[in-house]
Amino acid sequence: MNLSEKNQNIGISVSICLFCYNDEEKKVLTVENKDQPFKGALILPNKALDPNKSLEEICSEILFENIGNSNIYVEQLNAFGKVYRHPNGRIIDISFYGLINLEKDKVILNEDNGAAFTSLESFPEFAFDHNDMIEMALKRIKRRMKYRPLGKNLLPDQFTMNELEGLYASFLTKKFDKRNFRRRILEMNFLREVKKVQRNTRGRKAILYEFDPKKYNNYSKTGF
Amino acid sequence: MNLSEKNQNIGISVSICLFCYNDEEKKVLTVENKDQPFKGALILPNKALDPNKSLEEICSEILFENIGNSNIYVEQLNAFGKVYRHPNGRIIDISFYGLINLEKDKVILNEDNGAAFTSLESFPEFAFDHNDMIEMALKRIKRRMKYRPLGKNLLPDQFTMNELEGLYASFLTKKFDKRNFRRRILEMNFLREVKKVQRNTRGRKAILYEFDPKKYNNYSKTGF
DNA sequence: CCAAAAGTGTTAATCTTACACCCATGA
DNA sequence: TCATGGGTGTAAGATTAACACTTTTGG
């Protein structure tokens, strides 16, 4: 392939499925579509690729523009390239997904863009093929959880075992047995007990845990 | 994003890691690079994306041009998009991987392109980032094998248990215990015993098996 | 008859699953 | 004191892993 072949008149956009876990629900960062077609529709934040920037740089820009924080780890999901996926012409979308915690990670939602974290419990409808992207991202996370720990990016620094269980239940869409869950997670040995003060809540106070960064990262890289 | 943003002067290419399993080795389809830079170097077959064709259509064309057969199932691997990955300018490569059997699938290697199946046992060096692509594809296959059966596309219609074991050992880069392997595979119940005539070979004749298409396909879709 | 490759079972250890009650706290 | 949510152990069943010899066949 040489330079003359480069000018193919195909657009490339980058989009991000950024998930958080809040109020015991999983949510995704959405913006309001500003252009035709589907003006006003719910879409994933996205941006045209700049020839001089890497895919990851564009991700950072998307994040900065919509939540005022670009320091979020993302992974590539898929290139969506159907000929007729975008009514305005041929646009290939390279999508990424990432995870965030709304307390730990500073987030300032860009109101001009209609940026918001939208709950997925009620199956919102997105324009274009953005529903497919979200579905694929959730599948990918689900699969990934069988190999690697999840939670560091989604939970606050300290959390209870029940919060972690809720997170797992939500992303794996399955219920756990409290005792078995607790045992299995603790056996993996990437959690550290902190102290016994939990925020004011009814009932018995829960033990707080935090991730042991070294062990968590090891498992994160190499899998269980 | 509107049409005016489309002309970004970024090239898009599609490339394929097409694996086969032959002579008890895994091999990948390679061609000779015809252009500068790295003229003559070993590369993966690839082609510029045409604005009016889907990614999958381009895959078919690549396959047809290099092995004379476009009827090969491929899956998307990754978009490789580093700014400096290609010395001639900004080219995003969307890579796919697929599996083939050289007896079952008619293959006519395009000699003009230097098309060949190159063994991976000796760790050949490729130009550009094509080594990364192969490595990622092999990792992907490895991971996939934990959920889904492998073999239908790689083996002849009828095969022995030892051939299947060799294939698994090769792609998972680990040795198996004959007895345990046999038991586990048979328990999964997607194999059918055929008859006891095996091609002339030293030693005892082996039982031939074939995949039960329905059960194999079910597992292939839904995983174990 | 022997070299080469195919085929075959059992046991111990580990992992998974199911299951129900007591504990600490704040209102 | 009671309602709320947190915390705990065990046993049966399933799965996995380790292990070595016999069978069939062609040369």
Side-chain angles (χ1 to χ4, degrees):
Chain A
M1 163 157 336
N2 54 44
L3 272 170
S4 64
E5 290 178 85
K6 272 180 53 191
N7 202 328
Q8 292 160 305
N9 203 35
I10 303 176
I12 302 178
S13 64
V14 172
S15 60
I16 300 185
C17 300
L18 184 68
F19 297 100
C20 73
Y21 178 69
N22 244 240
D23 312 319
E24 302 177 19
E25 290 183 346
K26 47 180 191 286
K27 300 179 182 176
V28 70
L29 178 63
T30 56
V31 296
E32 204 186 295
N33 187 19
K34 285 178 171 167
D35 301 306
Q36 290 300 349
F38 314 138
K39 192 170 175 174
L42 213 54
I43 58 170
L44 293 172
N46 64 80
K47 191 173 182 179
L49 177 60
D50 179 317
N52 300 311
K53 292 176 182 163
S54 71
L55 298 170
E56 288 74 17
E57 275 175 272
I58 301 295
C59 283
S60 293
E61 292 182 7
I62 294 172
L63 291 169
F64 191 78
E65 286 165 24
N66 287 290
I67 62 169
N69 181 346
S70 61
N71 192 26
I72 308 287
Y73 177 71
V74 297
E75 278 211 11
Q76 194 181 310
L77 178 62
N78 199 248
F80 290 83
K82 279 194 192 146
V83 178
Y84 299 111
R85 65 171 289 281
H86 200 298
N88 288 8
R90 187 69 191 280
I91 295 176
I92 306 273
D93 187 285
I94 300 177
S95 62
F96 287 73
Y97 72 95
L99 305 166
I100 194 177
N101 175 271
L102 298 186
E103 299 158 50
K104 247 177 5 192
D105 302 300
K106 310 260 169 295
V107 167
I108 303 163
L109 292 170
N110 182 335
E111 293 186 14
D112 293 345
N113 289 354
F117 281 92
T118 301
S119 170
L120 293 170
E121 312 290 319
S122 51
F123 306 101
E125 285 262 352
F126 291 82
F128 308 110
D129 47 4
H130 292 192
N131 277 100
D132 298 339
M133 293 181 189
I134 292 169
E135 201 182 311
M136 191 185 273
L138 288 172
K139 249 191 212 160
R140 188 72 64 87
I141 291 169
K142 221 164 163 173
R143 211 171 49 186
R144 192 188 163 84
M145 286 170 77
K146 295 186 177 147
Y147 294 91
R148 296 168 206 280
L150 186 78
K152 203 174 198 218
N153 301 310
L154 287 164
L155 290 176
D157 285 334
Q158 305 191 345
F159 50 87
T160 70
M161 193 56 85
N162 286 333
E163 284 167 346
L164 187 62
E165 187 190 319
L167 171 75
Y168 267 76
S170 171
F171 277 90
L172 289 173
T173 54
K174 85 175 228 195
K175 283 211 174 288
F176 285 90
D177 178 287
K178 266 208 288 188
R179 285 166 286 195
N180 294 338
F181 180 81
R182 189 175 288 261
R183 186 182 324 114
R184 275 223 301 281
I185 290 285
L186 288 175
E187 271 168 3
M188 292 179 186
N189 207 37
F190 54 70
L191 286 188
R192 284 200 298 233
E193 214 168 292
V194 190
K195 46 187 181 236
K196 219 191 144 170
V197 250
Q198 198 204 9
R199 60 185 178 282
N200 26 329
T201 169
R202 310 259 298 119
R204 178 172 173 177
K205 278 175 183 154
I207 299 168
L208 288 172
Y209 294 89
E210 62 186 13
F211 292 108
D212 178 323
K214 245 191 209 161
K215 288 174 184 161
Y216 186 95
N217 288 339
N218 277 350
Y219 281 128
S220 225
K221 267 183 230 137
T222 65
F224 297 123
Chain B
M1 163 157 333
N2 54 44
L3 269 169
S4 64
E5 291 178 84
K6 271 181 53 190
N7 202 328
Q8 292 159 306
N9 204 34
I10 302 176
I12 302 178
S13 65
V14 172
S15 60
I16 301 185
C17 300
L18 184 67
F19 296 101
C20 72
Y21 179 69
N22 243 239
D23 312 317
E24 301 176 21
E25 290 182 347
K26 47 179 190 289
K27 300 179 181 175
V28 70
L29 178 63
T30 57
V31 297
E32 203 186 297
N33 187 19
K34 285 177 170 168
D35 300 306
Q36 288 301 348
F38 315 137
K39 192 169 173 172
L42 214 54
I43 56 171
L44 293 172
N46 63 81
K47 191 172 182 179
L49 177 59
D50 179 318
N52 300 309
K53 291 176 184 164
S54 70
L55 298 170
E56 288 73 17
E57 275 175 273
I58 302 294
C59 283
S60 292
E61 292 182 8
I62 294 172
L63 292 168
F64 192 78
E65 285 166 22
N66 286 291
I67 63 170
N69 180 347
S70 61
N71 193 27
I72 309 287
Y73 178 71
V74 296
E75 278 210 14
Q76 193 181 309
L77 179 61
N78 199 247
F80 290 83
K82 280 194 191 145
V83 178
Y84 298 111
R85 64 170 289 280
H86 200 298
N88 288 8
R90 188 69 192 282
I91 296 175
I92 305 273
D93 187 284
I94 300 176
S95 62
F96 287 74
Y97 72 94
L99 306 166
I100 193 178
N101 176 271
L102 299 185
E103 299 157 51
K104 246 175 8 189
D105 301 300
K106 310 263 170 291
V107 168
I108 302 162
L109 291 170
N110 182 334
E111 294 186 16
D112 292 345
N113 289 356
F117 280 91
T118 301
S119 170
L120 293 170
E121 313 290 319
S122 50
F123 305 100
E125 286 261 353
F126 290 82
F128 308 109
D129 47 5
H130 292 193
N131 276 100
D132 299 339
M133 293 182 189
I134 293 169
E135 201 182 311
M136 189 185 275
L138 288 172
K139 250 191 210 160
R140 189 72 65 88
I141 291 169
K142 224 165 162 172
R143 211 171 50 185
R144 193 188 163 83
M145 285 170 77
K146 296 187 177 148
Y147 294 89
R148 296 166 204 280
L150 186 79
K152 203 173 198 220
N153 301 309
L154 287 164
L155 290 175
D157 285 333
Q158 305 191 346
F159 50 86
T160 71
M161 192 57 84
N162 286 333
E163 284 166 347
L164 188 62
E165 187 190 320
L167 170 74
Y168 267 76
S170 171
F171 277 90
L172 289 173
T173 54
K174 85 175 227 196
K175 283 212 174 286
F176 285 89
D177 178 287
K178 264 209 290 189
R179 286 165 284 192
N180 293 339
F181 180 82
R182 191 174 288 261
R183 185 182 326 113
R184 274 223 301 282
I185 290 285
L186 287 175
E187 269 168 5
M188 291 178 185
N189 206 36
F190 55 69
L191 287 187
R192 284 199 299 233
E193 214 169 291
V194 189
K195 46 187 183 236
K196 217 190 142 168
V197 251
Q198 198 204 10
R199 58 183 180 283
N200 24 330
T201 171
R202 307 261 300 121
R204 178 171 171 179
K205 277 174 183 155
I207 298 168
L208 288 171
Y209 295 89
E210 61 186 12
F211 292 107
D212 179 322
K214 247 192 210 163
K215 288 173 184 162
Y216 186 95
N217 288 339
N218 277 350
Y219 281 128
S220 226
K221 267 183 232 138
T222 66
F224 296 124

